[in-house]
Amino acid sequence: MDVQAILSAATGNHGAVNPYAAIAYLVSGILFILALRGLSSPATAQSGNRFGVIGMTIAVVTTMITHAPEAMVLDGDGSFVLDTVGLIEILVAIGIGAVIGIVMARKIAMTAMPQLVAAFHSLVGLAAVAVAAAAYLNPGAFGIADAAGQIFTVSRVEMGLGIAIGAITFSGSVIAFLKLNGNMSGAPIMLPLRHVINLGTLAAIIGLVAYFTVDQSPWVFWTVTGLSFVIGFLLIIPIGGADMPVVVSMLNSYSGWAAAAMGFTLHNTAMIITGALVGSSGAILSYIMCRAMNRSFISVIAGGFGADAAASGGGSKEQRPWKPGSADDAAFLMSQAENVIIVPGYGMAVAQAQHALREMADVLKKEGVNVKYAIHPVAGRMPGHMNVLLAEANVPYDEVFELEDINGEFAQADVAFVIGANDVTNPAAKTDKTSPIYGMPVLDVEKAKTVLFVKRSMGGVGYAGVDNDVFYMDQTMMLLGDAKKMADDIVKALNGGGH
């Protein structure tokens, strides 16, 4: 069979949609759905990752095959010759990306996973901007313009939305990365007239995208791009650290919609399917996270959470009596308990204490103690952060419970062992209407007979900037110090029988 016949079989005739490519993209989409389903639970996360890898491999290979004619040129005798330069460039780009991905996966600590996710979102947004810019500068190569070079109206809509969402995703993700990585304060940055500025900028972007459908002048396109970059910064800067899990899932959704819009521009079914899956799942996750905090999505985006926290988090802190404890005290109390509920938080992640915590739980279980883990939906800096860390430490999945499943058990618990979780255990969310976290469902650790609270020092407060009344309750013993060292010392005390 000659080259032309092979290409015809692989890509279809006269630009028609190739049924084999459509089936391959459909299979990829199904695998992506299975990947999302698998990633919804630590028990199936590995299989979910495998489905995602297989699906993406099929999508990439299919795209390269269906675009093979674009790398073919006619030789002098009329035969087709492969333009290896373009193919090599693609393979080199894939190789570079693969190397970077492998190195990052091996080197990045689990504590840095939230900012890594934010960085990945920024790259997706930037890629959408790059594709939209390339399509605008050379629409003929993308098949989205007539003979006179006028971009089709529907393609202008897709391009305008894609570059706007992509630019917002990029700049917003950069700010989220800086906040999560500690390069920028997690406290809200409140600009004067920020709501007026934000609404005005958004209105200008929407108006210009609409105007772009009738005028494809460069000033319209690049103005939309510039304003979109700006509004991404403006939207995330006023959002406080307590809302970062929602911001991460929201940016995840944005990156998906940006990819879907660019899928239409590139006429790539796989990008449309994948982008829609990521966009819709991210939006659903954002909604779930907002419900977990009893917040409206609009109030989070408007930067309302933390507006009061900036005020309450500052100033002098009232000196109140609290009860200090030691690793030996904690070991004795937990070894005498029947039911212990462990509440992990970001402090555990920072100290990398999950392995020592699991070892502590294993020792307690050998002594006949019933141990469970209570996970708040927004504990940490991204959705599922604590679940990932506990899974890394091989904590049994059947010992890990979400807030709604375990909150009623604290009243029967002998010990609530809180390790680095502040905001998600703060009863002010239930009683203090002036608190910036008021209305957010929290873990009822104060109902336990004894609360052991591991904290680096009494001077710090949670990411929302609010002090926690649990610190000063009669049944609370504060275990001050590094979370990992404290857990290790408790294990030593349990094993040494000093209690």
Side-chain angles (χ1 to χ4, degrees), residues 249-477:
S249 62
M250 175 194 72
L251 291 170
N252 178 50
S253 178
Y254 287 178
S255 67
W257 297 124
M262 289 303 95
F264 283 104
T265 299
L266 296 174
H267 308 294
N268 189 296
T269 307
M271 281 189 68
I272 298 171
I273 294 173
T274 306
L277 285 173
V278 174
S280 57
S281 61
I284 293 170
L285 181 58
S286 299
Y287 172 73
I288 293 173
M289 302 297 285
C290 286
R291 285 197 62 184
M293 298 188 301
N294 195 29
R295 304 283 297 165
S296 73
F297 185 75
I298 298 300
S299 67
V300 173
I301 302 306
F305 202 133
D308 296 328
S312 62
S316 59
K317 181 178 174 182
E318 180 185 357
Q319 297 297 318
R320 299 163 64 182
W322 52 276
K323 186 188 302 180
S326 66
D328 288 334
D329 297 329
F332 175 77
L333 289 169
M334 286 193 286
S335 66
Q336 300 301 310
E338 291 185 11
N339 297 296
V340 173
I341 299 179
I342 299 173
V343 181
Y346 189 64
M348 181 195 76
V350 172
Q352 286 285 281
Q354 61 267 28
H355 296 280
L357 187 67
R358 191 218 65 221
E359 186 179 356
M360 182 191 81
D362 289 344
V363 175
L364 289 173
K365 286 187 290 184
K366 288 179 181 178
E367 296 193 13
V369 181
N370 181 33
V371 178
K372 294 181 179 180
Y373 296 81
I375 307 296
H376 193 283
V378 295
R381 294 296 181 266
M382 71 175 184
H385 196 185
M386 296 301 106
N387 301 78
V388 171
L389 293 173
L390 294 180
E392 183 197 24
N394 296 318
V395 171
Y397 304 130
D398 57 358
E399 295 178 5
V400 181
F401 297 86
E402 300 296 330
L403 177 145
E404 62 271 14
D405 298 322
I406 200 171
N407 227 15
E409 298 187 26
F410 279 102
Q412 288 77 45
D414 297 297
V415 176
F417 185 83
V418 186
I419 180 165
N422 187 356
D423 297 330
V424 298
T425 62
N426 196 332
K430 297 178 286 186
T431 58
D432 186 0
K433 293 185 178 180
T434 64
S435 173
I437 61 173
Y438 178 72
M440 181 178 83
V442 293
L443 292 162
D444 297 332
V445 298
E446 76 279 3
K447 294 181 179 179
K449 295 182 179 65
T450 300
V451 179
L452 300 175
F453 213 115
V454 181
K455 197 171 182 292
R456 188 171 293 276
S457 70
M458 292 299 295
V461 291
Y463 213 4
V466 185
D467 202 8
N468 192 338
D469 286 339
V470 173
F471 301 161
Y472 313 104
M473 293 181 174
D474 292 337
Q475 75 268 37
T476 300
M477 182 177 292

Side-chain angles (χ1 to χ4, degrees), residues 1-2 49 147 196 270 349 364 398 443:
M1 183 181 293
D2 61 21
N49 267 317
V196 175
L364 289 173
D398 57 358
L443 292 162

Side-chain angles (χ1 to χ4, degrees), residues 168-227:
I168 291 172
T169 303
F170 171 75
S171 53
S173 297
V174 169
I175 295 298
F177 173 87
L178 294 175
K179 282 177 174 275
L180 290 167
N181 203 46
N183 303 106
M184 178 182 290
S185 172
I189 300 174
M190 302 300 178
L191 301 176
L193 301 174
R194 68 185 186 282
H195 295 305
V196 175
I197 296 172
N198 290 351
L199 289 174
T201 306
L202 285 172
I205 291 171
I206 295 171
L208 286 171
V209 169
Y211 182 67
F212 186 57
T213 61
V214 296
D215 183 0
Q216 66 177 58
S217 298
W219 76 266
V220 181
F221 180 84
W222 296 115
T223 301
V224 169
T225 305
L227 289 177

